[in-house]
Amino acid sequence: MEETAVTMMADEQMRAGGRPGDAVGGRPEMDFATLTERELEVLVLLASGEQNRWLARRLGITERTVRAHTTSIVRKLNLKSRFEAAIVSYLHAEDIRGHQGVASVL
């Protein structure tokens, strides 16, 4: 997916949904501290748009575990879908990567 296409989809999603939290620079505030280290790793990789099978291989876990982590991420960040989580991952990449241990999957 091209960067401009992802940015356009993210902008459209933000206008349509209005996520909880205070907007900072047009983006809602996200509390990534609620996520485990593994969930942060999965979140970073969701921005790639790859299937769970690829994510599982990359992380050395099962597809079922990737689905469980994704479900937990969506719930903890009060999102609506995996797609929205991927957009959040793209928009907040620097914030997410700032957490200890996440750089190991990149």
Side-chain angles (χ1 to χ4, degrees):
M1 204 182 286
E2 281 188 38
E3 182 174 279
T4 54
V6 172
T7 304
M8 288 172 35
M9 287 187 295
D11 290 343
E12 182 179 326
Q13 185 76 18
M14 297 295 285
R15 281 192 299 272
R19 308 294 345 136
D22 298 322
V24 175
R27 291 181 275 173
E29 195 68 30
M30 290 284 156
D31 186 10
F32 298 112
T34 62
L35 302 178
T36 66
E37 246 184 78
R38 187 58 105 178
E39 289 168 346
L40 288 167
E41 291 172 344
V42 171
L43 182 58
V44 166
L45 293 177
L46 283 176
S48 70
E50 294 291 340
Q51 296 178 353
N52 287 345
R53 182 174 297 177
W54 182 87
L55 300 179
R57 284 188 201 145
R58 179 80 186 262
L59 295 169
I61 59 179
T62 66
E63 287 182 64
R64 182 177 179 172
T65 304
V66 171
R67 283 193 307 271
H69 286 311
T70 303
T71 299
S72 182
I73 291 165
V74 168
R75 182 181 48 79
K76 287 180 179 181
L77 295 180
N78 197 26
L79 302 172
K80 294 179 182 179
S81 65
R82 173 196 163 103
F83 177 72
E84 195 171 62
I87 291 172
V88 165
S89 178
Y90 176 80
L91 291 175
H92 294 275
E94 289 181 24
D95 297 334
I96 297 165
R97 287 185 182 105
H99 289 274
Q100 185 179 3
V102 174
S104 65
V105 297
L106 303 176

